[in-house]
Amino acid sequence: LTAGSIDVEAAGTQGEDRACQPLELHLPLTRASIEAARQAVLAHLAPATLPAPVTYNLELILEEVLMNLVMHAHEDPTGHEVHLAVHQRDDEVDLRFEDDGRPFDPTASEPSPTAGTLEDARIGGLGLPLLRRRARRLHYKRCGGRNVFTVTVGLVPREAKP
Amino acid sequence: MEIELIEDTEGVTHVRLAGRLDATGADQIGIRLTAVVVARGQSALMDLSGVSFVASLGIRLLISCAKGLKVKGATMVVYGARPEVQEVFDDAALDQILPIAGTHAQALERLQG
């Protein structure tokens, strides 16, 4: 990982304890950061030996949130960063995204209605609805001119949603 | 992310995608997929059995191809999605937008039906 810093504990810590330490990443707002974040987060949570559907969920949520920030947080994201903190406790993990982009509350916007037909389908607008379905909880606050968005993801295969 | 043109016969383009259809994958294959599928202007079957991951940008690419073909009076059917990929399609209600089939034979049926 060339972009940003990863805060890992001192060598010698047992694997089980390792995932209890928060992981902190400072990533430039670029598409390349999505892959960097994916690898760092999965490596961090590796001691928890997550079931494949949970890994998929985490990857999907990371991609949707980061892609949304890269595309919409700034007119030009060059030089801007997102701060990602990953904190695991019990059977869930918090992914906390902090950015200095325009105010955006992902918990406030209404889910877009399903298109119904190919003619009506919009190209886009799929990320947030997916995020809502895949996350256990979403929390947003605007704090000191920054968006702080926390997505809580279950570490057991997700409960069926209607 | 890879695209393979399996065959191009009887007015049907048949392609296979393999890899991660995430933002990076969609970027990698977007232009080529459009060139292979949409530019031919005939109905298409898309084998997704080699796709291990899909996110919204990947779905966006599929919708964009299907729309491109629709304008030309052709249909695109995707098939063979792995369960974890199918789950994302279900969450996005993709089946309301484009035909999704289980097998190649079922996909062909959807095209002919």
Side-chain angles (χ1 to χ4, degrees), chain A residues 2-18:
Chain A
T2 50
S5 59
I6 306 176
D7 194 7
V8 259
E9 75 303 319
T13 308
Q14 290 299 307
E16 258 184 55
D17 297 328
R18 186 177 145 182

Side-chain angles (χ1 to χ4, degrees), chain A residues 103-124:
Chain A
F104 177 66
D105 179 356
T107 66
S109 56
E110 287 297 310
S112 54
T114 311
T117 66
L118 184 55
E119 287 82 357
D120 297 339
R122 287 184 302 128
I123 306 288

Side-chain angles (χ1 to χ4, degrees), chain A residues 61-79:
Chain A
I61 287 166
L62 277 173
E63 163 141 348
E64 300 303 346
V65 177
L66 291 174
M67 202 60 217
N68 212 41
L69 289 174
V70 171
M71 293 197 301
H72 304 299
H74 299 274
E75 207 60 56
D76 176 6
T78 311

